[in-house]
Amino acid sequence: MDRTLLYLTDIAAIEQALLPTTKVIYLECPTDHNFMLVDLKALASLAKNKGIRTIIDNTWSTPLFQKPLTHGIDIVVHSTSKYLGGHSDLMGGAVISNKQIISKLFTYEFILFGGIMPPQEASQLLRSLRTLPIRMARHTANALKVAKFLESHSAVEAVHYPGLPYHPDYELGQRQLTGYSGLLSFTLKNATYGTVKEVINKASISNWCIVGFL
Ligand SMILES: *Cc1c(COP(=O)(O)O)cnc(C)c1O
């Protein structure tokens, strides 16, 4: 299988990289780790013109902050283990699409292969959804504080968070997102393996989750 690595923000580059055999564009927006945004409307319209299906992992934004179906994306997937669950006591996922696609998935995939959420977890998820708007507003406010602290820190070269006005995709975010969620990344000045390791080891805030570095 051919694999092409691209910056998804560059729609023209995506168009060039498409092959006559391309069937699906699977994306995440914001993109993982560098938090660049993808113009969902432009991407969906490019894909539709060529008969390509689009699938987005919308876990970072939650359905509150980004609504990809309204921009023409075909299928939205979520981990419900994160913000949607919110209490670290359930694991699950969700697929959202139109009736025709969901009915196919239900008949041919879900019934045969699907992991089926037990009633206990389903009820915990319903409980969690009731507080989602409050939790997401707080996540956004807290992350913005952390981002501002980091951007003013002398050891930090750049903060990657679409809620900061100097983020390269800030304007697109204003049109496409209604909140910025709680996950961000940053680059150290003159980073080495040693300095990055030191920062991770010194991070004492228990709610920080450092998942990796580039
Ligand atoms: C965590 C995560 C997943 C995987 O979710 P699990 O419920 O842990 O399997 C998928 N996509 C994104 C963007 C995530 O952050």
Side-chain angles (χ1 to χ4, degrees):
M1 190 168 43
D2 285 327
R3 244 173 29 150
T4 317
L5 284 179
L6 296 169
Y7 275 103
L8 278 182
T9 44
D10 187 349
I11 298 288
I14 296 176
E15 183 162 15
Q16 275 201 335
L18 294 175
L19 302 171
T21 48
T22 303
K23 296 265 191 299
V24 166
I25 298 175
Y26 189 102
L27 68 141
E28 197 182 350
C29 171
T31 57
D32 224 332
H33 288 50
N34 62 9
F35 297 91
M36 306 291 274
L37 300 185
V38 184
D39 185 334
L40 297 182
K41 208 167 247 171
L43 184 78
S45 116
L46 166 69
K48 275 218 163 66
N49 283 337
K50 303 197 180 269
I52 296 170
R53 283 250 196 265
T54 43
I55 308 176
I56 185 171
D57 183 332
N58 205 36
T59 302
W60 180 91
S61 310
T62 80
L64 290 183
F65 290 168
Q66 184 169 253
K67 302 184 189 310
L69 297 179
T70 66
H71 301 298
I73 298 289
D74 295 314
I75 302 175
V76 180
V77 296
H78 283 278
S79 162
T80 61
S81 320
K82 309 274 180 62
Y83 290 136
L84 300 186
H87 298 67
S88 305
D89 59 1
L90 67 94
M91 280 176 72
V95 184
I96 301 104
S97 186
N98 63 33
K99 203 170 175 181
Q100 187 199 1
I101 292 176
I102 291 294
S103 142
K104 254 193 182 168
L105 283 176
F106 188 82
T107 314
Y108 297 107
E109 308 285 340
F110 175 73
I111 292 288
L112 293 177
F113 308 122
I116 295 171
M117 187 176 272
Q120 170 78 11
E121 272 177 294
S123 72
Q124 281 163 328
L125 183 54
L126 278 178
R127 163 216 59 188
S128 300
L129 290 179
R130 294 184 190 115
T131 56
L132 186 66
I134 295 167
R135 288 187 285 110
M136 292 315 293
R138 182 60 69 87
H139 279 306
T140 299
N142 288 349
L144 201 57
K145 261 190 211 162
V146 174
K148 289 199 166 136
F149 162 75
L150 288 169
E151 79 175 339
S152 67
H153 197 288
S154 61
V156 172
E157 176 156 314
V159 183
H160 313 290
Y161 186 61
L164 293 174
Y166 68 76
H167 184 281
D169 298 324
Y170 182 74
E171 277 188 15
L172 173 59
Q174 291 274 292
R175 277 183 277 133
Q176 204 166 274
L177 296 168
T178 52
Y180 300 103
S181 212
L183 203 64
L184 55 90
S185 68
F186 59 96
T187 310
L188 289 180
K189 278 182 192 151
N190 307 315
T192 62
Y193 180 81
T195 53
V196 172
K197 196 170 154 191
E198 204 180 329
V199 170
I200 292 174
N201 285 340
K202 281 190 176 163
S204 59
I205 307 166
S206 61
N207 286 340
W208 278 43
C209 171
I210 297 182
V211 290
F213 53 86
L214 296 176

